[in-house]
């Protein structure tokens, strides 16, 4: 049994997932970028900046020192945003205990390289991509931290490693399934953030359930198109890391991506929406660009993702891109 686990990153999901592991009986040490966050977790069993009102278990501690956090870890959970994972992991590389299972929580595609997170981790750590475990699924951090029931997916080409993390993390409210389709789970996790931006935008423009259901369903079609082109199993998109995460994120006001889109839909600028996020990451804002490029590279049509890139980074008006999406060439649903 994997018993001693380190979580690198003390934001919303890093903290909530660390609590999942601790509630499953593991000994968990978190690394926090800011010393005061580590101190609050260690001494007051709280992370009030990210999960206010949540009491953290006693078998979860934290430090600001990565060497101290990583000493003796049997599994290392990477819980920093996608666009900063490369830089952070480069700094930790020499400290990773040999043989520790590397676990990725990040949902994004790297700008520039267009790599999935497990590809970035493999490149920097030297660990084979087949040995990296990816966590995905409908897991809004606050609900998980409150102990509300949820399923999740642990994807790894090496089934035994996925099972090791499954054994280490399942508890009375968290039910992880294993899957060997890493590509599908990572594409689903990254692409749904972009679709959640679009749903939020529709809500911000005063539109209702028909519009958001259309965006969710057509969003699913475009993420599945990209994923299968990259070698994913189409079934993955019918699962927790596909439609499950997509529906949770597109429907919940807790989603940072949906909230970000809602602000843009109400007419706020990117800078205003960023300021309102209070330093918490809305991955879709960057991933709309990298996923759009990945889609272009592979000849895949992703009109909603393209529209989100234009709104976020080219100053397009949400109403205008909405009208353009509706006015696209008439076609068969599955062509
Ligand atoms: N919050 C959620 O409900 C869920 C988040 N995720 C994914 O988990 C990953 C981490 O997300 P959260 O913990 O929610 O993010 P967050 O924004 O709440 O926290 C990010 C953490 O990374 C640290 N960090 C280190 N280097 C950083 C840098 N250069 N820039 C910004 N932060 C840096 C921050 O200090 C903070 O502790 C993301 O890829 C996200 O999409 C996945 C499932 C659920
Ligand atoms: O990935 C998530 C839920 O599964 C969290 O989504 P947000 O980053 O939009 O809050």
């Amino acid at each position: 049994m994997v018993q001693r686990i380190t979580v690198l990153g003390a934001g919303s999901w890093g903290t909530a997932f660390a609590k999942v592991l601790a509630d499953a009986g593991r000994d968990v040490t978190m690394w926090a970028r800011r010393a005061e966050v580590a101190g609050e977790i260690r001494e007051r069993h709280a992370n009030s900046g990210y999960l206010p009102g949540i009491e953290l278990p006693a078998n979860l501690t934290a430090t600001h020192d990565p060497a101290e956090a990583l000493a003796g870890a049997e599994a290392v959970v990477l819980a920093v945003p996608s666009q900063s994972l490369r830089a952070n992991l480069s700094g930790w590389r020499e400290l990773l205990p040999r043989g520790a299972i590397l676990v990725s929580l990040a949902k994004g595609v790297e700008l520039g390289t267009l790599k999935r997170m497990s590809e970035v981790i493999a490149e920097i750590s030297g660990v084979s991509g087949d040995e990296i475990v990816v966590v995905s699924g409908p897991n809004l951090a606050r609900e998980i931290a409150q102990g509300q029931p949820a399923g999740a997916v642990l994807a790894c080409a090496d089934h035994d490693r996925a099972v090791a993390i499954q054994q280490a993390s399942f508890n009375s409210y968290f039910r992880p399934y294993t899957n060997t389709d890493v590509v599908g789970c990572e594409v689903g996790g990254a692409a749904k953030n972009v679709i959640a931006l679009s749903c939020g935008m529709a809500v911000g423009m005063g539109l209702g359930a028909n519009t958001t259901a259309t965006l969710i369903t057509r969003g699913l079609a475009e993420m599945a198109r990209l994923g299968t082109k990259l070698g994913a199993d189409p079934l993955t998109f019918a699962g927790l890391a596909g439609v499950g995460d997509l529906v949770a994120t597109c429907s919940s006001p807790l989603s940072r991506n949906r909230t970000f889109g809602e602000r843009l839909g109400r007419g706020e600028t990117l800078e205003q929406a960023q300021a309102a996020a209070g330093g918490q990451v809305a991955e879709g804002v960057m991933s709309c660009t990298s996923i759009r490029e990945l889609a272009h590279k592979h000849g895949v049509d992703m009109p909603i993702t393209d529209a989100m890139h234009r709104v976020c980074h080219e100053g397009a008006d949400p109403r205008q891109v909405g009208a353009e999406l509706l006015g696209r060439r008439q076609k068969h649903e599955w062509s």
Side-chain angles (χ1 to χ4, degrees), residues 9-14 31 33-34 50 79-82 84 88 105-108 139-142 193 256 279-281 283:
S12 312
W13 186 217
W31 167 84
R33 189 162 58 148
R34 282 171 285 156
Y50 288 96
V80 293
S82 303
S84 61
N88 277 302
L105 299 189
K107 292 176 175 172
N139 295 153
L140 293 151
R142 184 159 190 85
N193 285 330
R256 284 100 36 105
Q280 292 205 31
V281 69
E283 293 273 22

Side-chain angles (χ1 to χ4, degrees), residues 294-312:
L294 195 57
H296 281 179
K297 186 173 158 191
H298 292 275
V300 175
D301 194 24
M302 297 189 77
I304 303 172
T305 303
D306 186 60
M308 290 306 100
H309 166 81
R310 284 166 48 225
V311 171
C312 289

Side-chain angles (χ1 to χ4, degrees), residues 107 137-140 192-193 245 249 254-258 281:
K107 292 176 175 172
N139 295 153
L140 293 151
K192 64 87 194 178
N193 285 330
D245 199 5
T249 313
L254 287 178
S255 159
R256 284 100 36 105
N257 286 284
R258 184 184 185 272
V281 69

Side-chain angles (χ1 to χ4, degrees), residues 155-223:
C156 185
D158 175 358
H159 180 65
D160 290 348
R161 281 184 167 75
V163 169
I165 301 304
Q166 182 182 42
Q167 296 300 320
S169 62
F170 90 89
N171 64 31
S172 61
Y173 57 87
F174 191 76
R175 180 167 171 76
Y177 295 82
T178 60
N179 191 327
T180 48
D181 181 15
V182 174
V183 174
C185 289
E186 288 195 310
V187 169
K192 64 87 194 178
N193 285 330
V194 181
I195 306 306
L197 274 179
S198 76
C199 285
M201 222 171 270
V203 171
M205 291 192 294
L207 302 171
N210 294 338
T211 308
T212 51
T214 301
L215 287 166
I216 290 172
T217 313
R218 295 311 300 166
L220 182 62
E222 71 179 54
M223 76 161 67

Side-chain angles (χ1 to χ4, degrees), residues 88-97 123-126:
N88 277 302
L89 186 54
S90 299
W92 298 325
R93 178 175 34 203
E94 307 305 328
L95 303 172
L96 296 173
E123 185 189 324
I124 303 298
S125 67

Side-chain angles (χ1 to χ4, degrees), residues 106-109 116-119 134-137 153-157 179-192 219-220 222-246 291 294 302:
K107 292 176 175 172
V109 170
R116 292 177 285 104
M117 292 301 104
S118 65
E119 294 179 305
V134 168
V135 181
S136 197
V153 181
L154 302 175
C156 185
N179 191 327
T180 48
D181 181 15
V182 174
V183 174
C185 289
E186 288 195 310
V187 169
K192 64 87 194 178
L220 182 62
E222 71 179 54
M223 76 161 67
R225 261 198 310 266
L226 177 65
T228 48
K229 187 74 183 225
L230 297 177
D233 179 348
L235 248 192
T236 298
F237 299 98
L240 289 164
V243 71
D245 199 5
L246 183 65
I291 293 172
L294 195 57
M302 297 189 77

